[in-house]
Amino acid sequence: MERTLSIIKPDAVARNQIGGIIALLEGAGLRVAAARLLRVSKGEAERFYAVHRERPFFESLTTFLSEGPILVMVLEGPGAIARNREVMGATDPAKAAAGTIRKAYGTNVERNAVHGSDGADTVKQEIAFFFSEREIPPRG
Ligand code: CMP
């Protein structure tokens, strides 16, 4: 059993797409183990996306993430990190495969509906950014 962090971004929350996105995640075999609707400040968005600090889109990306409510979730399942990345689809919705979340709900490479941890090294850090261990109930 593996865990990953998923974020439904402000564009998708504002467009009432939470239900459709979670249906695709659950349909891919992922279980919502913890979830919270919240807003991040610009500073928090900058800390969350610190690895992208030098990218030309950093300013715009962090403004976007802080523009409205987001749904942060811990997803659980076998190979959850890769499974989540598969069902999210390519970063750019125009390049995302049919049936993926970004194909269905993304607008452009920035406003792409969802974020998912990209590897085992970042997942712990990303989950800890939003959740404490006691907010993630064990199964059963
Ligand atoms: P995400 O998976 O959250 O990881 C970093 C985010 O940066 C990405 O999704 C996009 O929202 C955004 N991003 C990546 N590449 C670009 C780009 N070329 N222009 C604008 N935003 C981008």
Side-chain angles (χ1 to χ4, degrees):
M1 197 56 56
E2 193 173 71
R3 283 177 180 167
T4 191
L5 182 87
S6 169
I7 302 177
I8 302 183
K9 295 183 181 181
D11 55 334
V13 172
R15 295 159 79 187
N16 297 344
Q17 293 165 338
I18 289 175
I21 290 172
I22 292 179
L24 288 175
L25 294 170
E26 290 181 337
L30 296 162
R31 188 179 77 90
V32 179
R36 199 181 323 114
L37 189 76
L38 52 84
R39 277 187 81 140
V40 291
S41 65
K42 179 79 157 72
E44 286 169 326
E46 287 168 358
R47 276 200 292 126
F48 181 77
Y49 277 130
V51 293
H52 299 302
R53 206 179 311 116
E54 306 304 326
R55 305 284 188 95
F57 55 82
F58 183 68
E59 172 61 28
S60 172
L61 172 63
T62 53
T63 297
F64 163 51
L65 195 75
S66 56
E67 78 178 22
I70 61 175
L71 187 74
V72 295
M73 296 179 283
V74 176
L75 304 178
E76 256 180 19
I81 299 171
R83 197 83 195 86
N84 183 41
R85 291 179 64 75
E86 241 172 68
V87 69
M88 284 196 299
T91 304
D92 182 352
K95 296 177 186 153
T100 63
I101 294 169
R102 284 165 169 164
K103 177 72 176 182
Y105 298 111
T107 303
N108 57 45
V109 73
E110 178 172 284
R111 305 179 75 85
N112 62 356
V114 282
H115 167 83
S117 302
D118 67 359
D121 45 335
T122 49
V123 71
K124 270 194 157 42
Q125 200 181 317
E126 290 194 352
I127 289 176
F129 191 92
F130 290 108
F131 295 95
S132 66
E133 262 312 304
R134 69 193 153 70
E135 290 177 285
I136 310 169
R139 303 195 73 156

Short mmCIF file of all heavy atoms in Angstrom, two decimals, residues 9 49 52 57 61 91 102 109-110 112 114-116, ligand 1:
data_model
loop_
_atom_site.label_atom_id
_atom_site.label_comp_id
_atom_site.label_asym_id
_atom_site.label_seq_id
_atom_site.Cartn_x
_atom_site.Cartn_y
_atom_site.Cartn_z
N LYS A 9 -7.02 21.75 -7.76
CA LYS A 9 -6.57 23.15 -7.79
C LYS A 9 -7.77 24.11 -7.88
O LYS A 9 -8.90 23.70 -8.17
CB LYS A 9 -5.62 23.35 -8.97
CG LYS A 9 -4.31 22.54 -8.83
CD LYS A 9 -3.37 22.83 -9.99
CE LYS A 9 -2.10 22.01 -9.87
NZ LYS A 9 -1.15 22.30 -10.98
N TYR A 49 5.71 25.01 -3.82
CA TYR A 49 6.29 24.84 -5.15
C TYR A 49 7.74 25.31 -5.21
O TYR A 49 8.22 25.66 -6.29
CB TYR A 49 5.45 25.59 -6.19
CG TYR A 49 4.23 24.85 -6.69
CD1 TYR A 49 2.98 25.47 -6.72
CD2 TYR A 49 4.32 23.56 -7.20
CE1 TYR A 49 1.86 24.82 -7.23
CE2 TYR A 49 3.19 22.90 -7.70
CZ TYR A 49 1.98 23.52 -7.72
OH TYR A 49 0.87 22.88 -8.24
N HIS A 52 10.24 24.80 -8.02
CA HIS A 52 10.05 25.50 -9.30
C HIS A 52 10.45 26.98 -9.23
O HIS A 52 10.16 27.74 -10.15
CB HIS A 52 8.59 25.39 -9.76
CG HIS A 52 8.12 23.99 -9.99
ND1 HIS A 52 8.72 23.14 -10.88
CD2 HIS A 52 7.12 23.26 -9.42
CE1 HIS A 52 8.11 21.96 -10.86
NE2 HIS A 52 7.14 22.01 -9.98
N PHE A 57 7.49 30.42 -14.88
CA PHE A 57 6.06 30.43 -14.53
C PHE A 57 5.81 30.44 -13.02
O PHE A 57 4.67 30.36 -12.59
CB PHE A 57 5.35 29.24 -15.19
CG PHE A 57 5.95 27.88 -14.89
CD1 PHE A 57 5.65 27.21 -13.71
CD2 PHE A 57 6.80 27.27 -15.80
CE1 PHE A 57 6.19 25.96 -13.43
CE2 PHE A 57 7.35 26.01 -15.52
CZ PHE A 57 7.04 25.36 -14.33
N LEU A 61 2.20 30.69 -11.32
CA LEU A 61 1.74 29.42 -10.72
C LEU A 61 1.34 29.60 -9.26
O LEU A 61 0.30 29.11 -8.82
CB LEU A 61 2.86 28.37 -10.83
CG LEU A 61 2.63 27.05 -10.10
CD1 LEU A 61 1.43 26.29 -10.66
CD2 LEU A 61 3.89 26.17 -10.19
N THR A 91 0.94 16.96 -17.96
CA THR A 91 0.84 18.29 -17.35
C THR A 91 0.02 19.24 -18.22
O THR A 91 -0.81 20.00 -17.72
CB THR A 91 2.25 18.88 -17.13
OG1 THR A 91 3.01 17.96 -16.33
CG2 THR A 91 2.19 20.22 -16.43
N ARG A 102 -6.80 15.59 -16.51
CA ARG A 102 -6.42 16.87 -17.14
C ARG A 102 -7.04 17.04 -18.52
O ARG A 102 -7.34 18.16 -18.94
CB ARG A 102 -4.90 17.00 -17.16
CG ARG A 102 -4.37 17.35 -15.76
CD ARG A 102 -2.91 17.14 -15.66
NE ARG A 102 -2.32 17.69 -14.45
CZ ARG A 102 -1.11 17.34 -14.01
NH1 ARG A 102 -0.38 16.49 -14.68
NH2 ARG A 102 -0.63 17.89 -12.90
N VAL A 109 -1.64 24.55 -19.54
CA VAL A 109 -0.53 23.91 -18.82
C VAL A 109 -0.44 24.37 -17.36
O VAL A 109 0.05 23.64 -16.51
CB VAL A 109 0.80 24.09 -19.59
CG1 VAL A 109 1.30 25.52 -19.49
CG2 VAL A 109 1.86 23.10 -19.12
N GLU A 110 -0.91 25.58 -17.07
CA GLU A 110 -0.92 26.04 -15.68
C GLU A 110 -2.22 25.66 -14.96
O GLU A 110 -2.20 25.06 -13.89
CB GLU A 110 -0.74 27.55 -15.62
CG GLU A 110 -0.80 28.09 -14.18
CD GLU A 110 -0.42 29.56 -14.12
OE1 GLU A 110 0.78 29.84 -14.22
OE2 GLU A 110 -1.33 30.39 -14.02
N ASN A 112 -4.39 23.35 -14.73
CA ASN A 112 -4.53 21.95 -15.17
C ASN A 112 -5.24 21.06 -14.15
O ASN A 112 -5.03 19.85 -14.11
CB ASN A 112 -3.16 21.39 -15.58
CG ASN A 112 -2.17 21.38 -14.42
OD1 ASN A 112 -2.47 21.85 -13.33
ND2 ASN A 112 -1.00 20.85 -14.66
N VAL A 114 -5.37 19.53 -11.42
CA VAL A 114 -4.85 18.70 -10.33
C VAL A 114 -3.34 18.73 -10.23
O VAL A 114 -2.64 18.98 -11.22
CB VAL A 114 -5.29 17.21 -10.47
CG1 VAL A 114 -6.73 17.00 -10.05
CG2 VAL A 114 -5.02 16.68 -11.88
N HIS A 115 -2.88 18.46 -9.02
CA HIS A 115 -1.45 18.22 -8.76
C HIS A 115 -1.33 16.85 -8.13
O HIS A 115 -2.20 16.43 -7.36
CB HIS A 115 -0.89 19.27 -7.80
CG HIS A 115 0.47 18.91 -7.26
ND1 HIS A 115 1.62 19.15 -7.95
CD2 HIS A 115 0.84 18.27 -6.13
CE1 HIS A 115 2.66 18.69 -7.26
NE2 HIS A 115 2.20 18.14 -6.14
N GLY A 116 -0.25 16.15 -8.42
CA GLY A 116 0.05 14.89 -7.74
C GLY A 116 1.53 14.80 -7.47
O GLY A 116 2.34 15.27 -8.28
P1 CMP B 1 1.86 20.47 -11.12
O1 CMP B 1 1.77 19.02 -11.38
O2 CMP B 1 1.13 21.03 -9.97
O3 CMP B 1 3.42 20.87 -10.97
C1 CMP B 1 3.89 22.16 -11.22
C2 CMP B 1 2.92 23.00 -11.95
O4 CMP B 1 3.46 24.06 -12.66
C3 CMP B 1 2.18 22.19 -13.00
O5 CMP B 1 1.36 21.24 -12.43
C4 CMP B 1 1.51 23.29 -13.77
O6 CMP B 1 0.34 23.77 -13.11
C5 CMP B 1 2.58 24.36 -13.73
N1 CMP B 1 3.35 24.38 -14.96
C6 CMP B 1 4.18 23.43 -15.43
N2 CMP B 1 4.73 23.81 -16.60
C7 CMP B 1 4.24 25.04 -16.86
C8 CMP B 1 4.42 25.96 -17.92
N3 CMP B 1 5.24 25.71 -18.95
N4 CMP B 1 3.76 27.12 -17.85
C9 CMP B 1 2.94 27.39 -16.81
N5 CMP B 1 2.73 26.54 -15.77
C10 CMP B 1 3.36 25.39 -15.81
#
